[in-house]
Short mmCIF file of all heavy atoms in Angstrom, two decimals:
data_model
loop_
_atom_site.label_atom_id
_atom_site.label_comp_id
_atom_site.label_asym_id
_atom_site.label_seq_id
_atom_site.Cartn_x
_atom_site.Cartn_y
_atom_site.Cartn_z
N ALA A 124 6.10 34.47 83.12
CA ALA A 124 6.35 33.53 84.23
C ALA A 124 7.66 33.85 84.93
O ALA A 124 7.77 33.82 86.15
CB ALA A 124 6.39 32.08 83.71
N LEU A 125 8.70 34.24 84.15
CA LEU A 125 9.97 34.63 84.74
C LEU A 125 9.82 35.88 85.61
O LEU A 125 10.33 35.96 86.73
CB LEU A 125 11.00 34.90 83.66
CG LEU A 125 11.93 33.79 83.26
CD1 LEU A 125 12.84 34.21 82.12
CD2 LEU A 125 12.80 33.37 84.49
N HIS A 128 8.04 35.00 88.91
CA HIS A 128 8.95 34.39 89.87
C HIS A 128 9.92 35.45 90.43
O HIS A 128 10.24 35.39 91.60
CB HIS A 128 9.71 33.24 89.24
CG HIS A 128 8.90 31.98 89.16
ND1 HIS A 128 8.45 31.31 90.30
CD2 HIS A 128 8.41 31.26 88.12
CE1 HIS A 128 7.74 30.25 89.92
NE2 HIS A 128 7.72 30.18 88.62
N LYS A 133 3.64 33.17 92.41
CA LYS A 133 3.60 31.84 91.81
C LYS A 133 2.68 31.87 90.59
O LYS A 133 1.49 32.12 90.73
CB LYS A 133 3.05 30.81 92.79
CG LYS A 133 3.93 30.53 93.98
CD LYS A 133 3.30 29.40 94.81
CE LYS A 133 3.68 29.43 96.26
NZ LYS A 133 5.03 29.18 96.60
N PRO A 134 3.24 31.61 89.39
CA PRO A 134 2.35 31.61 88.24
C PRO A 134 1.50 30.33 88.15
O PRO A 134 1.95 29.24 88.52
CB PRO A 134 3.31 31.67 87.04
CG PRO A 134 4.66 31.31 87.56
CD PRO A 134 4.64 31.44 89.05
N VAL A 136 0.10 28.51 85.19
CA VAL A 136 0.24 28.54 83.74
C VAL A 136 -0.76 27.51 83.10
O VAL A 136 -0.68 26.34 83.40
CB VAL A 136 1.68 28.17 83.32
CG1 VAL A 136 1.80 28.13 81.82
CG2 VAL A 136 2.65 29.21 83.88
N VAL A 158 3.68 23.32 76.94
CA VAL A 158 4.46 23.22 78.20
C VAL A 158 5.92 23.67 77.92
O VAL A 158 6.47 24.46 78.69
CB VAL A 158 4.39 21.78 78.73
CG1 VAL A 158 5.41 21.58 79.87
CG2 VAL A 158 2.98 21.45 79.23
N ARG A 159 6.54 23.13 76.88
CA ARG A 159 7.90 23.53 76.57
C ARG A 159 8.02 25.03 76.39
O ARG A 159 8.92 25.70 76.93
CB ARG A 159 8.38 22.89 75.26
CG ARG A 159 8.87 21.53 75.36
CD ARG A 159 9.18 20.98 73.96
NE ARG A 159 9.12 19.54 73.99
CZ ARG A 159 10.16 18.76 74.29
NH1 ARG A 159 11.33 19.30 74.51
NH2 ARG A 159 10.03 17.45 74.31
N SER A 161 5.96 27.61 77.23
CA SER A 161 5.60 28.59 78.26
C SER A 161 6.39 28.42 79.55
O SER A 161 6.43 29.31 80.37
CB SER A 161 4.08 28.57 78.54
OG SER A 161 3.60 27.28 78.64
N LEU A 162 7.11 27.30 79.68
CA LEU A 162 7.98 27.16 80.88
C LEU A 162 9.45 27.36 80.52
O LEU A 162 10.31 27.20 81.39
CB LEU A 162 7.77 25.79 81.51
CG LEU A 162 6.34 25.42 81.97
CD1 LEU A 162 6.31 24.09 82.69
CD2 LEU A 162 5.73 26.50 82.88
N ALA A 163 9.70 27.72 79.28
CA ALA A 163 11.13 27.86 78.84
C ALA A 163 11.87 28.90 79.65
O ALA A 163 11.35 29.98 79.92
CB ALA A 163 11.14 28.26 77.35
N GLY A 164 13.05 28.52 80.09
CA GLY A 164 13.90 29.51 80.79
C GLY A 164 13.69 29.52 82.31
O GLY A 164 14.42 30.20 83.04
N LEU A 165 12.74 28.75 82.82
CA LEU A 165 12.57 28.71 84.27
C LEU A 165 13.56 27.73 84.87
O LEU A 165 13.88 26.69 84.26
CB LEU A 165 11.13 28.28 84.66
CG LEU A 165 9.99 29.19 84.25
CD1 LEU A 165 8.67 28.65 84.80
CD2 LEU A 165 10.21 30.61 84.73
N SER A 166 14.02 28.01 86.08
CA SER A 166 14.92 27.07 86.75
C SER A 166 14.11 25.93 87.35
O SER A 166 12.88 26.03 87.47
CB SER A 166 15.68 27.81 87.85
OG SER A 166 14.77 28.15 88.87
N LYS A 167 14.80 24.89 87.78
CA LYS A 167 14.10 23.75 88.43
C LYS A 167 13.30 24.22 89.63
O LYS A 167 12.15 23.82 89.83
CB LYS A 167 15.10 22.69 88.83
CG LYS A 167 15.64 21.89 87.69
CD LYS A 167 16.60 20.84 88.21
CE LYS A 167 17.34 20.20 87.07
NZ LYS A 167 18.38 19.25 87.50
N ASP A 168 13.92 25.06 90.44
CA ASP A 168 13.21 25.55 91.65
C ASP A 168 11.97 26.35 91.26
O ASP A 168 10.92 26.27 91.94
CB ASP A 168 14.11 26.40 92.53
CG ASP A 168 15.12 25.52 93.28
OD1 ASP A 168 14.91 24.27 93.30
OD2 ASP A 168 16.10 26.05 93.77
N GLN A 169 12.12 27.13 90.19
CA GLN A 169 10.96 27.93 89.77
C GLN A 169 9.82 27.03 89.23
O GLN A 169 8.66 27.28 89.48
CB GLN A 169 11.37 28.95 88.71
CG GLN A 169 12.20 30.10 89.31
CD GLN A 169 12.82 30.97 88.22
OE1 GLN A 169 13.13 30.54 87.13
NE2 GLN A 169 13.08 32.25 88.60
N ILE A 170 10.22 25.98 88.51
CA ILE A 170 9.20 25.05 88.01
C ILE A 170 8.42 24.42 89.18
O ILE A 170 7.20 24.33 89.15
CB ILE A 170 9.83 23.94 87.15
CG1 ILE A 170 10.43 24.52 85.89
CG2 ILE A 170 8.83 22.83 86.83
CD1 ILE A 170 9.42 24.96 84.88
N ALA A 171 9.18 24.03 90.19
CA ALA A 171 8.52 23.39 91.32
C ALA A 171 7.53 24.33 91.99
O ALA A 171 6.57 23.86 92.61
CB ALA A 171 9.59 22.89 92.30
N GLU A 172 7.78 25.62 91.91
CA GLU A 172 6.88 26.60 92.52
C GLU A 172 5.83 27.14 91.51
O GLU A 172 5.15 28.11 91.80
CB GLU A 172 7.70 27.78 93.05
CG GLU A 172 8.57 27.41 94.24
CD GLU A 172 7.74 27.02 95.45
OE1 GLU A 172 6.74 27.67 95.76
OE2 GLU A 172 8.07 25.94 96.05
N THR A 173 5.81 26.54 90.34
CA THR A 173 4.83 26.97 89.33
C THR A 173 3.66 25.98 89.42
O THR A 173 3.86 24.79 89.63
CB THR A 173 5.47 26.87 87.92
OG1 THR A 173 6.58 27.81 87.89
CG2 THR A 173 4.49 27.24 86.79
N VAL A 174 2.46 26.48 89.21
CA VAL A 174 1.30 25.57 89.11
C VAL A 174 0.95 25.51 87.63
O VAL A 174 0.87 26.53 86.95
CB VAL A 174 0.11 26.15 89.91
CG1 VAL A 174 -1.13 25.25 89.78
CG2 VAL A 174 0.49 26.35 91.39
N VAL A 175 0.74 24.28 87.15
CA VAL A 175 0.30 24.13 85.76
C VAL A 175 -1.19 23.82 85.82
O VAL A 175 -1.63 23.01 86.65
CB VAL A 175 1.09 23.00 85.04
CG1 VAL A 175 0.54 22.77 83.62
CG2 VAL A 175 2.57 23.33 85.01
N ILE A 201 1.72 15.49 81.15
CA ILE A 201 2.37 16.77 81.48
C ILE A 201 3.47 16.50 82.55
O ILE A 201 4.59 17.03 82.46
CB ILE A 201 1.36 17.81 81.97
CG1 ILE A 201 0.44 18.21 80.83
CG2 ILE A 201 2.07 19.06 82.54
CD1 ILE A 201 -0.81 19.00 81.27
N ARG A 202 3.16 15.69 83.54
CA ARG A 202 4.14 15.41 84.59
C ARG A 202 5.35 14.67 84.02
O ARG A 202 6.50 14.97 84.35
CB ARG A 202 3.49 14.61 85.73
CG ARG A 202 4.34 14.66 87.01
CD ARG A 202 3.70 13.97 88.18
NE ARG A 202 2.35 14.42 88.51
CZ ARG A 202 2.06 15.57 89.10
NH1 ARG A 202 3.01 16.41 89.43
NH2 ARG A 202 0.82 15.92 89.34
N LEU A 204 6.43 14.82 80.99
CA LEU A 204 7.18 15.76 80.17
C LEU A 204 8.05 16.69 81.05
O LEU A 204 9.21 16.92 80.73
CB LEU A 204 6.16 16.61 79.35
CG LEU A 204 6.75 17.68 78.44
CD1 LEU A 204 7.70 17.10 77.40
CD2 LEU A 204 5.62 18.44 77.73
N ILE A 205 7.48 17.17 82.12
CA ILE A 205 8.27 18.00 83.04
C ILE A 205 9.45 17.20 83.59
O ILE A 205 10.56 17.73 83.74
CB ILE A 205 7.37 18.61 84.14
CG1 ILE A 205 6.40 19.62 83.52
CG2 ILE A 205 8.18 19.26 85.25
CD1 ILE A 205 5.37 20.23 84.41
N GLY A 206 9.21 15.94 83.86
CA GLY A 206 10.29 15.08 84.32
C GLY A 206 11.43 14.98 83.30
O GLY A 206 12.59 15.01 83.61
N LEU A 208 11.98 17.24 80.81
CA LEU A 208 12.56 18.56 80.54
C LEU A 208 13.41 19.04 81.70
O LEU A 208 14.38 19.76 81.51
CB LEU A 208 11.45 19.59 80.27
CG LEU A 208 10.58 19.37 79.02
CD1 LEU A 208 9.46 20.42 78.96
CD2 LEU A 208 11.46 19.45 77.76
N PHE A 209 12.99 18.70 82.92
CA PHE A 209 13.70 19.22 84.09
C PHE A 209 14.27 17.99 84.84
O PHE A 209 15.29 17.49 84.46
CB PHE A 209 12.79 20.07 84.95
CG PHE A 209 12.30 21.26 84.15
CD1 PHE A 209 11.11 21.22 83.44
CD2 PHE A 209 13.09 22.42 84.07
CE1 PHE A 209 10.68 22.30 82.63
CE2 PHE A 209 12.66 23.50 83.28
CZ PHE A 209 11.47 23.44 82.57
N ASP A 210 13.59 17.51 85.87
CA ASP A 210 13.99 16.22 86.43
C ASP A 210 12.83 15.62 87.22
O ASP A 210 11.81 16.28 87.47
CB ASP A 210 15.30 16.28 87.23
CG ASP A 210 15.19 17.00 88.55
OD1 ASP A 210 14.13 16.95 89.14
OD2 ASP A 210 16.19 17.59 88.95
N SER A 212 12.39 14.80 90.34
CA SER A 212 11.96 15.32 91.63
C SER A 212 11.13 16.60 91.44
O SER A 212 10.19 16.84 92.16
CB SER A 212 13.15 15.55 92.57
OG SER A 212 13.82 16.74 92.24
N VAL A 213 11.51 17.38 90.41
CA VAL A 213 10.67 18.56 90.11
C VAL A 213 9.27 18.11 89.65
O VAL A 213 8.26 18.66 90.06
CB VAL A 213 11.35 19.41 89.00
CG1 VAL A 213 10.40 20.49 88.47
CG2 VAL A 213 12.64 20.05 89.53
N ALA A 214 9.27 17.09 88.80
CA ALA A 214 7.98 16.61 88.27
C ALA A 214 7.10 16.08 89.39
O ALA A 214 5.87 16.26 89.34
CB ALA A 214 8.24 15.51 87.23
N ARG A 215 7.73 15.49 90.41
CA ARG A 215 6.93 15.00 91.52
C ARG A 215 6.36 16.12 92.36
O ARG A 215 5.32 16.02 93.00
CB ARG A 215 7.75 14.06 92.42
CG ARG A 215 7.69 12.60 91.97
CD ARG A 215 8.09 11.64 93.07
NE ARG A 215 9.41 12.01 93.61
CZ ARG A 215 10.56 11.62 93.05
NH1 ARG A 215 10.56 10.85 92.02
NH2 ARG A 215 11.72 12.00 93.59
N ARG A 216 7.08 17.26 92.37
CA ARG A 216 6.65 18.38 93.25
C ARG A 216 5.65 19.31 92.59
O ARG A 216 4.82 19.92 93.25
CB ARG A 216 7.89 19.20 93.65
CG ARG A 216 8.67 18.53 94.79
CD ARG A 216 10.06 19.09 94.89
NE ARG A 216 10.10 20.49 95.29
CZ ARG A 216 11.11 21.31 95.07
NH1 ARG A 216 12.20 20.87 94.45
NH2 ARG A 216 11.06 22.56 95.46
N VAL A 217 5.72 19.44 91.24
CA VAL A 217 4.90 20.46 90.57
C VAL A 217 3.42 20.08 90.69
O VAL A 217 3.04 18.90 90.55
CB VAL A 217 5.36 20.65 89.12
CG1 VAL A 217 4.98 19.46 88.24
CG2 VAL A 217 4.76 21.90 88.51
N ARG A 218 2.59 21.12 90.97
CA ARG A 218 1.17 20.82 91.11
C ARG A 218 0.44 21.11 89.77
O ARG A 218 0.69 22.14 89.14
CB ARG A 218 0.57 21.67 92.24
CG ARG A 218 1.12 21.22 93.57
CD ARG A 218 0.45 21.89 94.75
NE ARG A 218 0.77 23.28 94.84
CZ ARG A 218 0.29 24.07 95.78
NH1 ARG A 218 -0.56 23.61 96.69
NH2 ARG A 218 0.67 25.34 95.85
N ILE A 219 -0.37 20.16 89.38
CA ILE A 219 -1.09 20.29 88.10
C ILE A 219 -2.61 20.32 88.41
O ILE A 219 -3.15 19.32 88.89
CB ILE A 219 -0.75 19.13 87.12
CG1 ILE A 219 0.77 19.01 86.98
CG2 ILE A 219 -1.41 19.38 85.78
CD1 ILE A 219 1.24 17.86 86.08
#
Side-chain angles (χ1 to χ4, degrees):
L125 264 178
H128 281 296
K133 293 184 205 294
V136 176
V158 169
R159 276 175 204 271
S161 45
L162 302 184
L165 296 185
S166 68
K167 286 182 190 175
D168 285 346
Q169 287 170 332
I170 294 289
E172 292 297 315
T173 298
V174 178
V175 176
I201 294 168
R202 197 177 306 286
L204 178 60
I205 291 174
L208 296 175
F209 300 92
D210 71 31
S212 78
V213 169
R215 271 200 305 277
R216 281 162 66 201
V217 71
R218 293 187 289 181
I219 308 178

